Amino acid sequence: MSNRRRARNFVNNAGDGEPAADDGLQAMRERNRTVAEREASRLARPDTSEASSTLGHASKKKSAVMSTPFGNMMGRNQSGSKTDPGVQEQEEWCGPFSVARQMISAREEARRLREEQQAEADPENSKESHPLDMETELALDKKRRLENPSLNWVSRRQRMTNDGAGGDMANVNYYAKRRRRFNQQKSLMVNGSNYVPSLFQLCVNYLVENFEHIDSLGLVDHSIRRALCERLVAQGKMNGAAFDVLAEMGVETLELVDCAQVTQDQFCDALRALLPSGLRAILLKHCGRCFGTQAVQVISEIKELELFAISLGGAYLLKDEDVVKLIGATARTLSSIDFTACPLIGSQFCRALSEHFSSPVDGGVGCLLELSLQNVPLTKEALFSLGASSDALRNLKSLRLKEIEAVDDEVVSIILNSIDGGTLEGIDLGGNDQLTDDILSSMRRCNTKGNLRALQLSGLKNLTAIGLEAFFTPIDDLPAPPMLRKLDLSQCSYEEINDAVLILAAKAASFKRSLTDVAADDSLNPESLVHEVSSTKGLVHVNVGGCSISDKSMEMLAATCGSSLVELDLSFCVNVSDKGLGYLVSKLSRQFAKLHVWGLAQITEEFLDGHDRIEEGGLEVVGVWMKKSGGRSLR
């Protein structure tokens, strides 16, 4: 029976006397106040209460209802197995404070056990310190800094902080830093508030804005027409009328970056007027609508052709027999062929090359210097005919076989062996998954005169570090390693493209003398190699995205390519740090213009706001806004 009911009964039994009712209510209030005062300290502070202050009806041991199916027996078994039998168990109140105390106790116990396990597993670290440990650590750190000079780099931001000029930059919101960095770089780059456009750019923009009023461009250079075409395409003004102005009578090079708005009849009419007047090069992209059988028929009807270069991209109407007819009509003067994404080209095209560009003894009439084929459905037998059945590729200087399923080690070996005299200057074999280290030996042997300057092997997952190191290492009875200007090893196997490969490639590209003496000593400080580097040699364009290189490669690039490197792509190279990039930028000359850092979430404000080119501009950092270090994506 509750206290209120007892008070009501007491009042009823007392009759109508007011003093009796007042005494009952007063007694009930006194009892409630006593209980509240006794339990107030326990409810206000989450400390373990004394056993004497525990209410009987709130005790789990005295309660008749338990939350577990085994009742008190389960609680006694569990508590007895975990606590010392000599210590009286303190009862925990069921609530959030009690749960928090239990979690803290379990965390401390887990930490103690973990420290004991670590001490047992690694007893050396648990030993007592020695008085000379600090001196040893300082000596080791000095040695590391001597071997890795990038560790000595201090950001401009840190120098300002040390000098007391940094202000409260460290406390500024990240997004405010991001916006300020973006505005600063934009103001120093093209289209920024501090950027003054050149007179050439001002003229191009003015002509494009008023291009509908232009009837003729006159005798302007090809570079001007290309800049106008690019700007017209960017603003969506490249139509039939603009094509008539760009392809007017007297041009020697017809280059269009987008022919989607040009009809086949309009293009053929332009060819009939331009070819007899001295058109020498046709360079078209997205030309599927305008270049087909009709255009080939117009070219073959012209008797005196001077075409030396044909480059077609996306010509989905161009058939295999049309290409044969085109080569036959232009083979006498044609020296550069480029077909990209032409799905109807096949074996007849390869046989036409072998027939028309073979040596004069075999009946050939032309001399092929550049061959570029990308995403073309050629068979292995058709590719064999290029190198095995004739010497059509004997004078080739640039070879590009990209994203062709039939290309394998055997095809590349036969084609490279058919090139005489080591005249090859550029090789692009990217996107061919079947290629292995065997192609490296073939390329090294065909480079007898050391003319190879560009090597692009992107996406070749089967290349190994051992094969690439051998390719860039001096070996007896083999031609010297290539002195490259452009190197692309992006999207290859992550572990195989490492520091050793890039260091050897940088040395081979920049040293004045043979690498025999230097290659044997890998412990040299990169800064000590500066006197061995030629100022006119070195890598210019490097792409090693998605590889395992680290700051060691940055130090070697800074030492060997200080006056040559223009563009560097380090996207998704997660082992490169702020100090490596900062040291590289501080050592390179002002010709270094573009740095790609997509996916480098480890790069922080120490480099982005502290490298040496942050104020003067001229260095474009691409991909810097992709992700904040240690945070969520910003896009």
Side-chain angles (χ1 to χ4, degrees):
M1 183 180 296
S2 63
N3 295 333
R4 184 173 298 178
R5 186 177 299 176
R6 291 171 183 169
R8 191 184 304 114
N9 293 339
F10 181 82
V11 173
N12 294 336
N13 294 334
D16 297 331
E18 293 296 332
D22 293 339
D23 294 342
L25 292 174
Q26 185 66 25
M28 182 179 64
R29 294 190 187 99
E30 292 295 335
R31 287 194 299 270
N32 292 340
R33 182 178 291 110
T34 302
V35 173
E37 290 176 354
R38 185 174 66 246
E39 300 297 330
S41 61
R42 181 181 64 80
L43 296 176
R45 296 174 60 85
D47 298 328
T48 305
S49 60
E50 298 179 357
S52 60
S53 64
T54 303
L55 293 176
H57 69 274
S59 175
K60 291 185 290 185
K61 294 183 177 180
K62 297 178 181 180
S63 176
V65 180
M66 300 298 295
S67 60
T68 61
F70 297 99
N72 288 332
M73 180 180 65
M74 177 62 69
R76 286 192 297 271
N77 291 342
Q78 291 179 350
S79 61
S81 61
K82 294 182 180 180
T83 58
D84 188 355
V87 180
Q88 184 179 1
E89 178 187 4
Q90 294 181 350
E91 183 180 4
E92 293 288 350
W93 179 261
C94 184
F97 295 108
S98 176
V99 173
R101 283 196 303 270
Q102 295 176 19
M103 293 176 63
I104 293 174
S105 301
R107 183 180 62 184
E108 296 296 331
E109 181 67 17
R111 185 179 66 177
R112 184 183 62 81
L113 294 176
R114 183 170 63 252
E115 290 176 353
E116 292 179 356
Q117 294 175 358
Q118 291 178 352
E120 294 177 358
D122 192 3
E124 295 183 359
N125 293 336
S126 61
K127 294 181 181 179
E128 297 182 357
S129 61
H130 191 275
L132 296 179
D133 287 346
M134 184 61 68
E135 298 296 332
T136 304
E137 185 64 27
L138 292 176
L140 292 176
D141 182 69
K142 182 178 180 180
K143 182 179 179 181
R144 285 193 298 267
R145 291 179 179 274
L146 183 61
E147 295 177 354
N148 302 280
S150 63
L151 296 176
N152 300 318
W153 178 76
V154 179
S155 67
R156 172 180 170 273
R157 180 185 178 190
Q158 185 63 36
R159 293 195 298 267
M160 293 177 61
T161 303
N162 296 337
D163 296 339
D168 297 330
M169 294 295 294
N171 300 325
V172 179
N173 181 271
Y174 173 79
Y175 298 98
K177 296 179 183 178
R178 178 179 181 266
R179 176 55 56 186
R180 185 184 63 254
R181 189 187 308 126
F182 173 77
N183 293 334
Q184 184 177 15
Q185 183 172 358
K186 182 179 179 181
S187 65
L188 296 174
M189 300 302 293
V190 179
N191 298 328
S193 59
N194 296 337
Y195 173 76
V196 179
S198 63
L199 179 60
F200 175 79
Q201 191 63 42
L202 289 174
C203 294
V204 169
N205 294 338
Y206 181 79
L207 289 175
V208 171
E209 291 176 1
N210 303 277
F211 208 76
E212 61 272 12
H213 305 293
I214 298 177
D215 295 331
S216 175
L217 292 175
L219 300 177
V220 298
D221 187 66
H222 160 253
S223 60
I224 299 177
R225 294 180 184 271
R226 173 171 179 167
L228 289 171
C229 181
E230 291 176 349
R231 191 66 177 170
L232 287 169
V233 172
Q235 295 190 3
K237 295 184 178 182
M238 185 61 196
N239 50 28
F243 171 77
D244 292 336
V245 176
L246 294 174
E248 61 183 347
M249 184 74 68
V251 299
E252 294 185 351
T253 301
L254 180 60
E255 181 174 5
L256 303 176
V257 297
D258 191 347
C259 306
Q261 301 300 324
V262 181
T263 63
Q264 190 167 5
D265 293 336
Q266 186 179 16
F267 183 76
C268 291
D269 293 339
L271 288 180
R272 292 188 183 95
L274 295 176
L275 289 173
S277 62
L279 183 64
R280 304 191 61 196
I282 300 177
L283 312 176
L284 308 177
K285 294 182 179 179
H286 306 285
C287 61
R289 182 184 181 188
C290 65
F291 201 98
T293 304
Q294 186 176 350
V296 174
Q297 182 65 30
V298 172
I299 294 175
S300 61
E301 291 175 354
I302 306 299
K303 299 301 181 181
E304 298 295 332
L305 290 175
E306 298 181 9
L307 283 176
F308 75 90
I310 295 179
S311 177
L312 305 176
Y316 56 83
L317 296 178
L318 189 63
K319 300 179 182 179
D320 203 9
E321 52 271 20
D322 296 333
V323 178
V324 174
K325 192 174 183 180
L326 177 64
I327 292 176
T330 60
R332 186 180 59 83
T333 58
L334 193 63
S335 61
S336 177
I337 298 176
D338 181 6
F339 290 138
T340 301
C342 300
L344 302 181
I345 293 179
S347 58
Q348 296 184 32
F349 160 70
C350 296
R351 287 196 293 268
L353 289 180
S354 301
E355 177 182 354
H356 294 284
F357 291 99
S358 59
S359 58
V361 179
D362 298 330
V365 294
C367 179
L368 188 61
L369 300 179
E370 298 179 358
L371 177 62
S372 176
L373 303 175
Q374 179 178 356
N375 196 13
V376 177
L378 298 176
T379 63
K380 190 173 182 178
E381 291 73 15
L383 293 171
F384 279 155
S385 64
L386 286 177
S389 60
S390 68
D391 57 351
L393 307 180
R394 65 192 182 278
N395 298 319
L396 206 63
K397 291 186 177 181
S398 177
L399 175 64
R400 184 174 183 233
L401 301 176
K402 192 172 182 180
E403 299 175 5
I404 301 177
E405 294 183 1
V407 173
D408 57 10
D409 296 335
E410 188 178 3
V411 170
V412 173
S413 178
I414 291 177
I415 291 178
L416 292 180
N417 290 334
S418 65
I419 302 174
D420 298 335
T423 59
L424 202 58
E425 298 179 0
I427 299 177
D428 186 356
L429 301 174
N432 299 313
D433 298 335
Q434 301 183 28
L435 298 181
T436 65
D437 287 343
D438 293 341
I439 64 170
L440 300 176
S441 176
S442 301
M443 289 187 292
R444 181 74 176 269
R445 294 182 183 278
C446 79
N447 189 33
T448 55
K449 295 183 179 180
N451 293 326
L452 188 61
R453 294 293 179 267
L455 181 62
Q456 298 173 263
L457 305 175
S458 61
L460 303 189
K461 301 293 185 179
N462 295 325
L463 295 182
T464 65
I466 297 177
L468 289 169
E469 289 176 20
F471 180 74
F472 291 110
T473 303
I475 301 176
D476 295 337
D477 301 330
L478 282 179
M483 303 182 69
L484 300 177
R485 297 294 174 268
K486 183 175 184 179
L487 177 63
D488 187 354
L489 296 175
S490 61
Q491 307 306 320
C492 294
S493 179
Y494 174 79
E495 296 293 341
E496 303 301 329
I497 311 301
N498 51 32
D499 290 327
V501 173
L502 189 56
I503 288 174
L504 288 174
K507 288 181 179 180
S510 57
F511 274 13
K512 299 178 182 178
R513 57 182 176 83
S514 174
L515 297 178
T516 306
D517 300 333
V518 182
D521 190 359
D522 295 333
S523 62
L524 291 176
N525 187 323
E527 293 183 344
S528 65
L529 304 177
V530 176
H531 64 281
E532 303 288 350
V533 177
S534 173
S535 59
T536 60
K537 301 178 181 178
L539 294 169
V540 178
H541 299 275
V542 179
N543 187 352
V544 286
C547 302
S548 60
I549 63 172
S550 65
D551 292 345
K552 197 67 178 177
S553 296
M554 302 300 101
E555 296 167 359
M556 183 55 65
L557 288 177
T560 58
C561 310
S563 60
S564 63
L565 191 62
V566 174
E567 183 176 1
L568 177 63
D569 192 338
L570 299 173
S571 301
F572 303 98
C573 295
V574 297
N575 295 328
V576 178
S577 68
D578 290 322
K579 288 189 174 296
L581 285 178
Y583 177 80
L584 176 67
V585 173
S586 66
K587 294 297 181 181
L588 294 181
S589 301
R590 296 300 178 262
Q591 85 286 338
F592 186 48
K594 184 174 288 189
L595 175 64
H596 300 262
V597 294
W598 288 107
L600 300 190
Q602 73 276 13
I603 301 302
T604 64
E605 290 83 3
E606 182 180 4
F607 168 75
L608 300 177
D609 293 334
H611 63 79
D612 292 355
R613 302 275 296 277
I614 192 67
E615 289 187 349
E616 66 183 58
L619 175 60
E620 182 181 2
V621 183
V622 182
V624 69
W625 315 124
M626 183 176 180
K627 186 178 180 183
K628 176 183 176 181
S629 176
R632 297 177 58 187
S633 176
L634 297 176
R635 288 186 176 179

